[in-house]
Amino acid sequence: MTAHDPNLSRSGSGLLGWLGFGARPVDPPIEAAAASGQLERRGALQGRQLEEIGNFLSLHKIELTPLALTVAWNYLTGADSQVVRAIDRQIQSRQPITAAWLEENLAENNGDDLALLAQLMERLESSIDEFGKTSRDAHNATSDYQSALEEHVNELTQVTKAGEVISELATIAKVMLRRTRDIEKQMLRSEAQTRALRRRLDEARRSAEEDHLTGLPNRRSFEATYAEQYRLARAATETLCVAFCDIDHFKAINDTHGHEAGDRVLKLVADCFARISDDNCHVARHGGEEFVLLIRGAAPDDAFDKLDRLRQELADRRLVNRATEQPFGQVSFSAGIADVFECGDPRTALRAADAALYRAKQNGRNRIEVATDEDCQPPQLNAAA
């Protein structure tokens, strides 16, 4: 199957349609000439993207399935950093990328769920803000109307020679005044409910961005922090380093002492990382026994020293499982550091830091490696042919 297959160009069907590249309705004649250049460039870009996806699947001999297409798209466009890192690590270890491997390792990826959660929370927050503004405006209008009505009621009740018509108007106005007071109370209750809902939303957001075991920010929160720190560092012409840290032999700890003890070790290591965090050093749990750090305003050598002191302090401790009085032995971590701007862009820097971490593991663990120029190069698809 190639990009020239006529089945791919049918509107809303075939591979192009599945990827959202299907034929679009024809522009009105008055706009067609002005849009032709843009459409041509868009078509060329989409054609290259489609060719890259086909080459990726063909190279690794992966059958065409919705999962395979989604993974290929997320990998080649960088749309999902977890997919990018998983595939890069598989390529670096020279292990095959097969349909079975995709199904086992990437089918349960929850990136889409997190993105959907973020969108829903943003929409909910927007609705709360809009409702709160409407409620406040209604309350203010009701209060103003009540004051004016109360003034007119007082004026009507002071008229002694107005006759029955004025008397009826005064009665009606009093009823309206009571109703506006009731409405004002309802508005006040609505404002209180809105404030309570806002607090719950803030709590839900914190919960969605926090790792429940360690209390550190989670991967979703890290992605947002990474984008913000990259923007700030670039604007201030400061350095920015990213580091991946992985607890050594963590599976052996779980197998020997149990998962509850493993969780305590995770919390201990997380607390160690949290001690060095500040406005220029951000720590998050990236998943499993892996943590990620962003260090702004420090050169790679300074970031190395900062992290290496923590590594040595942890490795020098002798920990004991208080539940069984059995020693854990040495608990250590390995790390890889990359200079984000030396690597060119945030995505490449993540790959480079991960490659450096992989090298630290290969070189004996309990050590830190700094990414090289080679680590910052784009991955070669033929590395795992």
PDB file of all heavy atoms in Angstrom, residues 18 56-57 62-75 83 87 98-109 112:
ATOM      1  N   TRP A  18      -8.612   8.118   8.087  1.00  0.00           N
ATOM      2  CA  TRP A  18      -8.420   7.698   9.488  1.00  0.00           C
ATOM      3  C   TRP A  18      -7.504   8.661  10.227  1.00  0.00           C
ATOM      4  O   TRP A  18      -7.701   8.955  11.401  1.00  0.00           O
ATOM      5  CB  TRP A  18      -7.831   6.291   9.513  1.00  0.00           C
ATOM      6  CG  TRP A  18      -7.812   5.700  10.901  1.00  0.00           C
ATOM      7  CD1 TRP A  18      -8.793   5.002  11.535  1.00  0.00           C
ATOM      8  CD2 TRP A  18      -6.738   5.775  11.834  1.00  0.00           C
ATOM      9  NE1 TRP A  18      -8.408   4.655  12.785  1.00  0.00           N
ATOM     10  CE2 TRP A  18      -7.146   5.101  13.001  1.00  0.00           C
ATOM     11  CE3 TRP A  18      -5.470   6.350  11.812  1.00  0.00           C
ATOM     12  CZ2 TRP A  18      -6.336   4.986  14.117  1.00  0.00           C
ATOM     13  CZ3 TRP A  18      -4.662   6.237  12.924  1.00  0.00           C
ATOM     14  CH2 TRP A  18      -5.093   5.550  14.055  1.00  0.00           C
ATOM     15  N   PHE A  56       7.942   3.637   8.689  1.00  0.00           N
ATOM     16  CA  PHE A  56       8.133   3.117  10.044  1.00  0.00           C
ATOM     17  C   PHE A  56       7.503   1.730  10.191  1.00  0.00           C
ATOM     18  O   PHE A  56       8.134   0.788  10.683  1.00  0.00           O
ATOM     19  CB  PHE A  56       7.525   4.091  11.048  1.00  0.00           C
ATOM     20  CG  PHE A  56       7.601   3.634  12.479  1.00  0.00           C
ATOM     21  CD1 PHE A  56       8.723   3.884  13.241  1.00  0.00           C
ATOM     22  CD2 PHE A  56       6.545   2.946  13.064  1.00  0.00           C
ATOM     23  CE1 PHE A  56       8.803   3.468  14.566  1.00  0.00           C
ATOM     24  CE2 PHE A  56       6.612   2.516  14.370  1.00  0.00           C
ATOM     25  CZ  PHE A  56       7.745   2.779  15.127  1.00  0.00           C
ATOM     26  N   LEU A  57       6.257   1.605   9.751  1.00  0.00           N
ATOM     27  CA  LEU A  57       5.564   0.317   9.884  1.00  0.00           C
ATOM     28  C   LEU A  57       6.206  -0.748   8.994  1.00  0.00           C
ATOM     29  O   LEU A  57       6.328  -1.908   9.389  1.00  0.00           O
ATOM     30  CB  LEU A  57       4.086   0.485   9.522  1.00  0.00           C
ATOM     31  CG  LEU A  57       3.275   1.431  10.422  1.00  0.00           C
ATOM     32  CD1 LEU A  57       1.854   1.568   9.906  1.00  0.00           C
ATOM     33  CD2 LEU A  57       3.265   0.932  11.856  1.00  0.00           C
ATOM     34  N   ILE A  62       5.400  -4.244  10.852  1.00  0.00           N
ATOM     35  CA  ILE A  62       4.242  -4.200  11.742  1.00  0.00           C
ATOM     36  C   ILE A  62       2.968  -4.143  10.904  1.00  0.00           C
ATOM     37  O   ILE A  62       2.848  -3.320   9.998  1.00  0.00           O
ATOM     38  CB  ILE A  62       4.306  -2.967  12.676  1.00  0.00           C
ATOM     39  CG1 ILE A  62       5.574  -3.023  13.518  1.00  0.00           C
ATOM     40  CG2 ILE A  62       3.069  -2.902  13.568  1.00  0.00           C
ATOM     41  CD1 ILE A  62       5.795  -1.776  14.352  1.00  0.00           C
ATOM     42  N   GLU A  63       2.038  -5.023  11.211  1.00  0.00           N
ATOM     43  CA  GLU A  63       0.774  -5.068  10.483  1.00  0.00           C
ATOM     44  C   GLU A  63      -0.015  -3.785  10.696  1.00  0.00           C
ATOM     45  O   GLU A  63       0.036  -3.170  11.768  1.00  0.00           O
ATOM     46  CB  GLU A  63      -0.046  -6.267  10.963  1.00  0.00           C
ATOM     47  CG  GLU A  63      -1.363  -6.448  10.214  1.00  0.00           C
ATOM     48  CD  GLU A  63      -2.159  -7.622  10.740  1.00  0.00           C
ATOM     49  OE1 GLU A  63      -1.636  -8.345  11.614  1.00  0.00           O
ATOM     50  OE2 GLU A  63      -3.303  -7.804  10.300  1.00  0.00           O
ATOM     51  N   LEU A  64      -0.744  -3.355   9.671  1.00  0.00           N
ATOM     52  CA  LEU A  64      -1.520  -2.122   9.722  1.00  0.00           C
ATOM     53  C   LEU A  64      -2.749  -2.329  10.606  1.00  0.00           C
ATOM     54  O   LEU A  64      -3.682  -3.045  10.255  1.00  0.00           O
ATOM     55  CB  LEU A  64      -1.953  -1.728   8.308  1.00  0.00           C
ATOM     56  CG  LEU A  64      -2.480  -0.308   8.125  1.00  0.00           C
ATOM     57  CD1 LEU A  64      -1.388   0.701   8.406  1.00  0.00           C
ATOM     58  CD2 LEU A  64      -3.009  -0.127   6.712  1.00  0.00           C
ATOM     59  N   THR A  65      -2.736  -1.708  11.793  1.00  0.00           N
ATOM     60  CA  THR A  65      -3.861  -1.761  12.733  1.00  0.00           C
ATOM     61  C   THR A  65      -4.069  -0.350  13.296  1.00  0.00           C
ATOM     62  O   THR A  65      -3.168   0.495  13.228  1.00  0.00           O
ATOM     63  CB  THR A  65      -3.577  -2.732  13.900  1.00  0.00           C
ATOM     64  OG1 THR A  65      -2.469  -2.214  14.670  1.00  0.00           O
ATOM     65  CG2 THR A  65      -3.243  -4.121  13.392  1.00  0.00           C
ATOM     66  N   PRO A  66      -5.244  -0.079  13.860  1.00  0.00           N
ATOM     67  CA  PRO A  66      -5.450   1.239  14.480  1.00  0.00           C
ATOM     68  C   PRO A  66      -4.401   1.564  15.543  1.00  0.00           C
ATOM     69  O   PRO A  66      -3.922   2.693  15.626  1.00  0.00           O
ATOM     70  CB  PRO A  66      -6.850   1.132  15.078  1.00  0.00           C
ATOM     71  CG  PRO A  66      -7.546   0.138  14.198  1.00  0.00           C
ATOM     72  CD  PRO A  66      -6.484  -0.864  13.827  1.00  0.00           C
ATOM     73  N   LEU A  67      -4.032   0.563  16.387  1.00  0.00           N
ATOM     74  CA  LEU A  67      -3.026   0.808  17.418  1.00  0.00           C
ATOM     75  C   LEU A  67      -1.686   1.148  16.786  1.00  0.00           C
ATOM     76  O   LEU A  67      -1.013   2.100  17.204  1.00  0.00           O
ATOM     77  CB  LEU A  67      -2.889  -0.419  18.324  1.00  0.00           C
ATOM     78  CG  LEU A  67      -1.727  -0.354  19.334  1.00  0.00           C
ATOM     79  CD1 LEU A  67      -1.939   0.811  20.306  1.00  0.00           C
ATOM     80  CD2 LEU A  67      -1.589  -1.673  20.091  1.00  0.00           C
ATOM     81  N   ALA A  68      -1.276   0.372  15.756  1.00  0.00           N
ATOM     82  CA  ALA A  68       0.011   0.611  15.113  1.00  0.00           C
ATOM     83  C   ALA A  68       0.057   1.993  14.473  1.00  0.00           C
ATOM     84  O   ALA A  68       1.063   2.705  14.570  1.00  0.00           O
ATOM     85  CB  ALA A  68       0.274  -0.469  14.063  1.00  0.00           C
ATOM     86  N   LEU A  69      -1.024   2.394  13.825  1.00  0.00           N
ATOM     87  CA  LEU A  69      -1.070   3.714  13.204  1.00  0.00           C
ATOM     88  C   LEU A  69      -1.007   4.827  14.253  1.00  0.00           C
ATOM     89  O   LEU A  69      -0.313   5.828  14.068  1.00  0.00           O
ATOM     90  CB  LEU A  69      -2.351   3.850  12.379  1.00  0.00           C
ATOM     91  CG  LEU A  69      -2.392   3.052  11.068  1.00  0.00           C
ATOM     92  CD1 LEU A  69      -3.792   3.052  10.490  1.00  0.00           C
ATOM     93  CD2 LEU A  69      -1.406   3.632  10.061  1.00  0.00           C
ATOM     94  N   THR A  70      -1.734   4.636  15.351  1.00  0.00           N
ATOM     95  CA  THR A  70      -1.732   5.641  16.414  1.00  0.00           C
ATOM     96  C   THR A  70      -0.338   5.789  17.014  1.00  0.00           C
ATOM     97  O   THR A  70       0.159   6.899  17.226  1.00  0.00           O
ATOM     98  CB  THR A  70      -2.733   5.262  17.516  1.00  0.00           C
ATOM     99  OG1 THR A  70      -4.032   5.131  16.940  1.00  0.00           O
ATOM    100  CG2 THR A  70      -2.763   6.317  18.612  1.00  0.00           C
ATOM    101  N   VAL A  71       0.297   4.648  17.296  1.00  0.00           N
ATOM    102  CA  VAL A  71       1.636   4.678  17.878  1.00  0.00           C
ATOM    103  C   VAL A  71       2.621   5.328  16.922  1.00  0.00           C
ATOM    104  O   VAL A  71       3.442   6.170  17.322  1.00  0.00           O
ATOM    105  CB  VAL A  71       2.094   3.246  18.245  1.00  0.00           C
ATOM    106  CG1 VAL A  71       3.571   3.230  18.587  1.00  0.00           C
ATOM    107  CG2 VAL A  71       1.278   2.712  19.407  1.00  0.00           C
ATOM    108  N   ALA A  72       2.568   4.946  15.631  1.00  0.00           N
ATOM    109  CA  ALA A  72       3.476   5.522  14.640  1.00  0.00           C
ATOM    110  C   ALA A  72       3.284   7.032  14.553  1.00  0.00           C
ATOM    111  O   ALA A  72       4.250   7.800  14.491  1.00  0.00           O
ATOM    112  CB  ALA A  72       3.250   4.870  13.276  1.00  0.00           C
ATOM    113  N   TRP A  73       2.041   7.475  14.537  1.00  0.00           N
ATOM    114  CA  TRP A  73       1.752   8.905  14.471  1.00  0.00           C
ATOM    115  C   TRP A  73       2.291   9.623  15.716  1.00  0.00           C
ATOM    116  O   TRP A  73       2.957  10.652  15.617  1.00  0.00           O
ATOM    117  CB  TRP A  73       0.252   9.103  14.342  1.00  0.00           C
ATOM    118  CG  TRP A  73      -0.188  10.528  14.508  1.00  0.00           C
ATOM    119  CD1 TRP A  73      -0.722  11.094  15.616  1.00  0.00           C
ATOM    120  CD2 TRP A  73      -0.109  11.574  13.530  1.00  0.00           C
ATOM    121  NE1 TRP A  73      -0.988  12.421  15.398  1.00  0.00           N
ATOM    122  CE2 TRP A  73      -0.615  12.745  14.122  1.00  0.00           C
ATOM    123  CE3 TRP A  73       0.338  11.631  12.221  1.00  0.00           C
ATOM    124  CZ2 TRP A  73      -0.685  13.950  13.445  1.00  0.00           C
ATOM    125  CZ3 TRP A  73       0.262  12.837  11.551  1.00  0.00           C
ATOM    126  CH2 TRP A  73      -0.240  13.985  12.160  1.00  0.00           C
ATOM    127  N   ASN A  74       2.018   9.085  16.910  1.00  0.00           N
ATOM    128  CA  ASN A  74       2.470   9.720  18.146  1.00  0.00           C
ATOM    129  C   ASN A  74       3.986   9.752  18.240  1.00  0.00           C
ATOM    130  O   ASN A  74       4.570  10.708  18.759  1.00  0.00           O
ATOM    131  CB  ASN A  74       1.895   8.979  19.360  1.00  0.00           C
ATOM    132  CG  ASN A  74       0.421   9.267  19.563  1.00  0.00           C
ATOM    133  OD1 ASN A  74      -0.080  10.289  19.119  1.00  0.00           O
ATOM    134  ND2 ASN A  74      -0.285   8.360  20.218  1.00  0.00           N
ATOM    135  N   TYR A  75       4.639   8.701  17.718  1.00  0.00           N
ATOM    136  CA  TYR A  75       6.105   8.637  17.780  1.00  0.00           C
ATOM    137  C   TYR A  75       6.752   9.616  16.815  1.00  0.00           C
ATOM    138  O   TYR A  75       7.636  10.395  17.176  1.00  0.00           O
ATOM    139  CB  TYR A  75       6.580   7.214  17.477  1.00  0.00           C
ATOM    140  CG  TYR A  75       8.082   7.085  17.387  1.00  0.00           C
ATOM    141  CD1 TYR A  75       8.866   7.220  18.527  1.00  0.00           C
ATOM    142  CD2 TYR A  75       8.718   6.846  16.172  1.00  0.00           C
ATOM    143  CE1 TYR A  75      10.247   7.107  18.455  1.00  0.00           C
ATOM    144  CE2 TYR A  75      10.091   6.741  16.091  1.00  0.00           C
ATOM    145  CZ  TYR A  75      10.856   6.875  17.241  1.00  0.00           C
ATOM    146  OH  TYR A  75      12.226   6.781  17.163  1.00  0.00           O
ATOM    147  N   VAL A  83       5.266   7.471  24.552  1.00  0.00           N
ATOM    148  CA  VAL A  83       5.457   6.574  23.403  1.00  0.00           C
ATOM    149  C   VAL A  83       6.837   6.789  22.793  1.00  0.00           C
ATOM    150  O   VAL A  83       7.541   5.833  22.462  1.00  0.00           O
ATOM    151  CB  VAL A  83       4.350   6.824  22.350  1.00  0.00           C
ATOM    152  CG1 VAL A  83       4.677   6.109  21.042  1.00  0.00           C
ATOM    153  CG2 VAL A  83       3.005   6.353  22.870  1.00  0.00           C
ATOM    154  N   ILE A  87       9.719   3.737  22.644  1.00  0.00           N
ATOM    155  CA  ILE A  87      10.251   3.233  21.377  1.00  0.00           C
ATOM    156  C   ILE A  87      11.734   3.528  21.255  1.00  0.00           C
ATOM    157  O   ILE A  87      12.521   2.680  20.811  1.00  0.00           O
ATOM    158  CB  ILE A  87       9.458   3.818  20.195  1.00  0.00           C
ATOM    159  CG1 ILE A  87       8.031   3.265  20.197  1.00  0.00           C
ATOM    160  CG2 ILE A  87      10.145   3.513  18.865  1.00  0.00           C
ATOM    161  CD1 ILE A  87       7.153   3.796  19.093  1.00  0.00           C
ATOM    162  N   THR A  98       7.675  -4.914  17.567  1.00  0.00           N
ATOM    163  CA  THR A  98       6.696  -5.755  16.906  1.00  0.00           C
ATOM    164  C   THR A  98       5.289  -5.349  17.318  1.00  0.00           C
ATOM    165  O   THR A  98       5.095  -4.578  18.271  1.00  0.00           O
ATOM    166  CB  THR A  98       6.925  -7.230  17.286  1.00  0.00           C
ATOM    167  OG1 THR A  98       6.716  -7.376  18.705  1.00  0.00           O
ATOM    168  CG2 THR A  98       8.344  -7.669  16.946  1.00  0.00           C
ATOM    169  N   ALA A  99       4.307  -5.897  16.600  1.00  0.00           N
ATOM    170  CA  ALA A  99       2.917  -5.620  16.949  1.00  0.00           C
ATOM    171  C   ALA A  99       2.603  -6.116  18.358  1.00  0.00           C
ATOM    172  O   ALA A  99       1.880  -5.464  19.116  1.00  0.00           O
ATOM    173  CB  ALA A  99       1.984  -6.269  15.934  1.00  0.00           C
ATOM    174  N   ALA A 100       3.174  -7.277  18.721  1.00  0.00           N
ATOM    175  CA  ALA A 100       2.944  -7.825  20.058  1.00  0.00           C
ATOM    176  C   ALA A 100       3.545  -6.911  21.126  1.00  0.00           C
ATOM    177  O   ALA A 100       2.950  -6.685  22.184  1.00  0.00           O
ATOM    178  CB  ALA A 100       3.551  -9.224  20.169  1.00  0.00           C
ATOM    179  N   TRP A 101       4.738  -6.352  20.828  1.00  0.00           N
ATOM    180  CA  TRP A 101       5.377  -5.440  21.782  1.00  0.00           C
ATOM    181  C   TRP A 101       4.547  -4.167  21.946  1.00  0.00           C
ATOM    182  O   TRP A 101       4.384  -3.673  23.057  1.00  0.00           O
ATOM    183  CB  TRP A 101       6.793  -5.102  21.302  1.00  0.00           C
ATOM    184  CG  TRP A 101       7.540  -4.210  22.247  1.00  0.00           C
ATOM    185  CD1 TRP A 101       8.264  -4.565  23.340  1.00  0.00           C
ATOM    186  CD2 TRP A 101       7.607  -2.773  22.177  1.00  0.00           C
ATOM    187  NE1 TRP A 101       8.775  -3.451  23.967  1.00  0.00           N
ATOM    188  CE2 TRP A 101       8.394  -2.333  23.274  1.00  0.00           C
ATOM    189  CE3 TRP A 101       7.088  -1.825  21.307  1.00  0.00           C
ATOM    190  CZ2 TRP A 101       8.668  -0.987  23.503  1.00  0.00           C
ATOM    191  CZ3 TRP A 101       7.353  -0.479  21.540  1.00  0.00           C
ATOM    192  CH2 TRP A 101       8.136  -0.074  22.622  1.00  0.00           C
ATOM    193  N   LEU A 102       4.013  -3.641  20.839  1.00  0.00           N
ATOM    194  CA  LEU A 102       3.162  -2.457  20.914  1.00  0.00           C
ATOM    195  C   LEU A 102       1.942  -2.736  21.780  1.00  0.00           C
ATOM    196  O   LEU A 102       1.552  -1.921  22.624  1.00  0.00           O
ATOM    197  CB  LEU A 102       2.712  -2.028  19.514  1.00  0.00           C
ATOM    198  CG  LEU A 102       3.792  -1.548  18.535  1.00  0.00           C
ATOM    199  CD1 LEU A 102       3.144  -1.155  17.215  1.00  0.00           C
ATOM    200  CD2 LEU A 102       4.558  -0.379  19.108  1.00  0.00           C
ATOM    201  N   GLU A 103       1.320  -3.884  21.567  1.00  0.00           N
ATOM    202  CA  GLU A 103       0.109  -4.246  22.303  1.00  0.00           C
ATOM    203  C   GLU A 103       0.392  -4.378  23.790  1.00  0.00           C
ATOM    204  O   GLU A 103      -0.374  -3.916  24.630  1.00  0.00           O
ATOM    205  CB  GLU A 103      -0.450  -5.566  21.763  1.00  0.00           C
ATOM    206  CG  GLU A 103      -1.765  -6.002  22.385  1.00  0.00           C
ATOM    207  CD  GLU A 103      -2.929  -5.114  21.945  1.00  0.00           C
ATOM    208  OE1 GLU A 103      -2.870  -4.571  20.819  1.00  0.00           O
ATOM    209  OE2 GLU A 103      -3.863  -4.961  22.740  1.00  0.00           O
ATOM    210  N   GLU A 104       1.542  -4.970  24.117  1.00  0.00           N
ATOM    211  CA  GLU A 104       1.875  -5.230  25.519  1.00  0.00           C
ATOM    212  C   GLU A 104       2.302  -3.969  26.255  1.00  0.00           C
ATOM    213  O   GLU A 104       1.960  -3.780  27.431  1.00  0.00           O
ATOM    214  CB  GLU A 104       3.003  -6.257  25.602  1.00  0.00           C
ATOM    215  CG  GLU A 104       3.416  -6.601  27.034  1.00  0.00           C
ATOM    216  CD  GLU A 104       4.528  -7.638  27.081  1.00  0.00           C
ATOM    217  OE1 GLU A 104       4.859  -8.189  26.002  1.00  0.00           O
ATOM    218  OE2 GLU A 104       5.053  -7.887  28.172  1.00  0.00           O
ATOM    219  N   ASN A 105       3.035  -3.084  25.571  1.00  0.00           N
ATOM    220  CA  ASN A 105       3.647  -1.956  26.256  1.00  0.00           C
ATOM    221  C   ASN A 105       2.932  -0.633  26.072  1.00  0.00           C
ATOM    222  O   ASN A 105       3.075   0.261  26.913  1.00  0.00           O
ATOM    223  CB  ASN A 105       5.105  -1.789  25.785  1.00  0.00           C
ATOM    224  CG  ASN A 105       5.996  -2.916  26.247  1.00  0.00           C
ATOM    225  OD1 ASN A 105       6.538  -2.891  27.350  1.00  0.00           O
ATOM    226  ND2 ASN A 105       6.147  -3.932  25.408  1.00  0.00           N
ATOM    227  N   LEU A 106       2.186  -0.472  24.970  1.00  0.00           N
ATOM    228  CA  LEU A 106       1.640   0.838  24.669  1.00  0.00           C
ATOM    229  C   LEU A 106       0.125   0.883  24.569  1.00  0.00           C
ATOM    230  O   LEU A 106      -0.444   1.962  24.469  1.00  0.00           O
ATOM    231  CB  LEU A 106       2.248   1.384  23.369  1.00  0.00           C
ATOM    232  CG  LEU A 106       3.772   1.523  23.367  1.00  0.00           C
ATOM    233  CD1 LEU A 106       4.253   2.046  22.028  1.00  0.00           C
ATOM    234  CD2 LEU A 106       4.222   2.460  24.482  1.00  0.00           C
ATOM    235  N   ALA A 107      -0.522  -0.273  24.542  1.00  0.00           N
ATOM    236  CA  ALA A 107      -1.979  -0.271  24.397  1.00  0.00           C
ATOM    237  C   ALA A 107      -2.663   0.364  25.592  1.00  0.00           C
ATOM    238  O   ALA A 107      -3.746   0.932  25.476  1.00  0.00           O
ATOM    239  CB  ALA A 107      -2.498  -1.701  24.204  1.00  0.00           C
ATOM    240  N   GLU A 108      -2.024   0.277  26.783  1.00  0.00           N
ATOM    241  CA  GLU A 108      -2.644   0.812  27.992  1.00  0.00           C
ATOM    242  C   GLU A 108      -2.211   2.233  28.285  1.00  0.00           C
ATOM    243  O   GLU A 108      -2.474   2.754  29.361  1.00  0.00           O
ATOM    244  CB  GLU A 108      -2.278  -0.087  29.192  1.00  0.00           C
ATOM    245  CG  GLU A 108      -2.775  -1.519  29.068  1.00  0.00           C
ATOM    246  CD  GLU A 108      -4.284  -1.571  28.939  1.00  0.00           C
ATOM    247  OE1 GLU A 108      -4.955  -0.749  29.597  1.00  0.00           O
ATOM    248  OE2 GLU A 108      -4.789  -2.414  28.197  1.00  0.00           O
ATOM    249  N   ASN A 109      -1.526   2.851  27.327  1.00  0.00           N
ATOM    250  CA  ASN A 109      -1.073   4.230  27.534  1.00  0.00           C
ATOM    251  C   ASN A 109      -2.273   5.124  27.854  1.00  0.00           C
ATOM    252  O   ASN A 109      -3.267   5.100  27.146  1.00  0.00           O
ATOM    253  CB  ASN A 109      -0.374   4.727  26.268  1.00  0.00           C
ATOM    254  CG  ASN A 109       0.326   6.054  26.480  1.00  0.00           C
ATOM    255  OD1 ASN A 109      -0.300   7.045  26.788  1.00  0.00           O
ATOM    256  ND2 ASN A 109       1.624   6.050  26.300  1.00  0.00           N
ATOM    257  N   ASP A 112      -4.084   9.849  26.422  1.00  0.00           N
ATOM    258  CA  ASP A 112      -5.323  10.430  25.900  1.00  0.00           C
ATOM    259  C   ASP A 112      -6.303  10.717  27.027  1.00  0.00           C
ATOM    260  O   ASP A 112      -7.009  11.725  27.013  1.00  0.00           O
ATOM    261  CB  ASP A 112      -5.963   9.495  24.875  1.00  0.00           C
ATOM    262  CG  ASP A 112      -5.130   9.407  23.604  1.00  0.00           C
ATOM    263  OD1 ASP A 112      -4.301  10.309  23.393  1.00  0.00           O
ATOM    264  OD2 ASP A 112      -5.319   8.447  22.843  1.00  0.00           O
TER     265      ASP A 112
END
